[in-house]
Amino acid sequence: MQHTIFVIVLAAALSLGVFAVAVQRGAMLVYIDRMTALMSLIWGAVSLGMVCVGYGIGKWILSFDLGARDVYWIHVVCGVFLAIAGIRMFYRALRKKTFIERRMEKVDVKHDSLLCLQITASTFIAGIACGLLEAGIVRVILAFFSISTGFAVFGYMNGRSNGPVWSDKAYLLGGTILCAAGIMLQIMK
C-alpha cells in the first residue's frame, strides 16, 4: 500500500509539470478538438515511456549484489533525484517568462511533442527511483499514464478557459511535493 501511494504522489507531482505546459499551450488555442485529445495521449505515452525506461535502469542497478549499506544509499540517491526534479520545477515557476500573444487554430503536435520530451525528463528520474525502491511496474504504468494524460487534457481545457494563470502555481505545487517526497524517503527508511 505504501508503494502505491508513493507512486501516485510521484505521478501527480510530475504530472503537474505536464499540466503547467498544457495550460500555457491551451491559452493560445482557439478550438479544442480531436488533435488536443491526441496530444494529451501523446503526453501520457511519453511519460509512460520515460518512466518505464527509468524503471528498467533502476531494476538493472538492483540486479547487482547489494548489501544493507547499499540500500541506505539507494534511499539517499532517490531522495536527491526527487529533490533535483522538484528544484527544476521551482526554477520553471520562478524564472522570468515572456508570453507572446498569438492564437493557434489547433494544437501544434510537433512543438508540443518537443515540450513533452523536455518536461518528462524528470519522469525518467522518477522511474529510476521507482525501480530502485521496487515499486510494482503495473502501479507505475497505470499511475503515470493515466494521471499524465488526465492532467494534459485538464491543462489544455483550463488554459483555453482561464489563460496561463495556473501554470506557475502548478510548477510550485509539483516542486514542493517532489522535494517533500525526497525528504520523506530519508525519514522513512
Side-chain angles (χ1 to χ4, degrees):
M1 182 68 177
Q2 182 179 1
H3 282 298
T4 303
I5 294 169
F6 180 74
V7 168
I8 290 171
V9 167
L10 274 184
L14 289 163
S15 294
L16 283 168
V18 170
F19 173 80
V21 173
V23 163
Q24 292 172 357
R25 299 297 289 169
M28 295 186 279
L29 283 177
V30 175
Y31 302 109
I32 293 184
D33 59 359
R34 288 182 298 196
M35 290 304 291
T36 310
L38 173 66
M39 191 61 225
S40 297
L41 287 173
I42 291 172
W43 279 102
V46 171
S47 291
L48 174 65
M50 290 291 218
V51 78
C52 285
V53 170
Y55 187 90
I57 290 172
K59 290 300 253 185
W60 175 74
I61 291 169
L62 288 179
S63 68
F64 297 106
D65 189 26
L66 299 174
R69 184 157 170 79
D70 296 328
V71 172
Y72 167 80
W73 285 107
I74 285 173
H75 280 267
V76 170
V77 168
C78 290
V80 169
F81 280 174
L82 295 178
I84 289 170
I87 291 168
R88 184 174 179 242
M89 288 183 86
F90 285 139
Y91 172 74
R92 285 186 169 276
L94 300 175
R95 73 177 179 188
K96 185 172 172 63
K97 293 177 235 19
T98 304
F99 288 106
I100 299 171
E101 187 66 35
R102 69 181 174 104
R103 302 302 265 166
M104 300 183 306
E105 289 293 321
K106 61 181 181 176
V107 172
D108 181 1
V109 176
K110 181 180 177 183
H111 187 263
D112 284 17
S113 296
L114 291 174
L115 287 172
C116 180
L117 289 172
Q118 290 175 354
I119 294 298
T120 56
S122 296
T123 307
F124 172 74
I125 292 171
I128 293 173
C130 288
L132 288 172
L133 297 173
E134 298 184 288
I137 186 68
V138 174
R139 290 182 208 135
V140 171
I141 288 171
L142 290 174
F144 277 87
F145 178 75
S146 60
I147 295 173
S148 292
T149 303
F151 275 37
V153 168
F154 184 60
Y156 282 119
M157 291 173 31
N158 188 302
R160 174 68 183 96
S161 300
N162 302 321
V165 175
W166 292 98
S167 178
D168 289 342
K169 294 171 185 159
Y171 278 132
L172 288 173
L173 180 60
T176 302
I177 292 170
L178 287 172
C179 288
I183 292 168
M184 291 303 291
L185 275 178
Q186 306 316 308
I187 294 171
M188 302 174 73
K189 291 180 187 169

